[in-house]
Amino acid sequence: MTGVADIHADIEALKELAGALTRYRHAQREVADRGDYQIAATRASLEERASQWRSLLARRQADLAACQHAAAMDTGAGGRAGCHAEAAAVREAEERLESIRRWQQQVEDGASAFAGPSGRFRNVLGVDLPRTEHHLQAIIDGLEAARGVRGARS
């Protein structure tokens, strides 16, 4: 009778393993999806900041051009000094925009490095694990069928 109890315990353990594989596959798919979401959110955030700084740079360049034009007109009349503040504002906007571009490149480099392993992992989750789960279920079904036959002979 101990052998039958062992078989029942083995079948139950295999069923638990099959359930654990399914739960693992779903949980890890969510992890991979969150990684993709974070990359997309970071890209969007950086693009939004870049867009804001491009607009600000255009305004600051227009302000500098207007100041330089006014300074050129005033020079003849002995007026305005220079446009140092406007030029500094343009440089700041250019520097900020360049900094954002560097961050965008780092994000793209990281996303590219992530894409290969992530794709392979998704393949494991989408192809290999379901195939393994199906195979394991076939083993469980076979053991349960054999247990039923053995019980009928007793």
Side-chain angles (χ1 to χ4, degrees), residues 110-124:
S112 293
F114 177 76
S118 176
R120 288 188 298 279
F121 187 58
R122 284 181 184 279
N123 191 51
V124 167

Side-chain angles (χ1 to χ4, degrees), residues 14 16 20-21 24 26 39 46 51 53 56 79 86 99 105 111-112 114 121 130 134 148 153-154:
L14 289 173
E16 288 179 26
L21 284 174
Y24 173 80
H26 291 293
I39 289 170
L46 286 170
S51 177
W53 278 102
L56 188 57
E86 289 83 354
S99 175
Q105 186 59 51
S112 293
F114 177 76
F121 187 58
H134 179 73
R153 288 185 186 169
S154 304

Side-chain angles (χ1 to χ4, degrees), residues 24-98:
Y24 173 80
R25 179 170 44 92
H26 291 293
Q28 294 309 305
R29 187 176 295 144
E30 289 176 15
V31 169
D33 289 346
R34 278 195 309 269
D36 290 342
Y37 171 79
Q38 288 300 321
I39 289 170
T42 301
R43 283 176 172 152
S45 174
L46 286 170
E47 184 51 41
E48 175 63 27
R49 301 244 358 238
S51 177
Q52 291 169 353
W53 278 102
R54 280 191 295 270
S55 294
L56 188 57
L57 174 60
R59 285 194 306 272
R60 288 179 177 184
Q61 287 172 329
D63 291 346
L64 177 58
C67 178
Q68 289 170 335
H69 179 72
M73 300 302 275
D74 287 348
T75 301
R80 294 182 73 155
C83 299
H84 302 295
E86 289 83 354
V90 167
R91 279 193 306 276
E92 178 199 18
E94 289 171 339
E95 289 167 2
R96 294 284 183 108
L97 197 51
E98 183 56 34

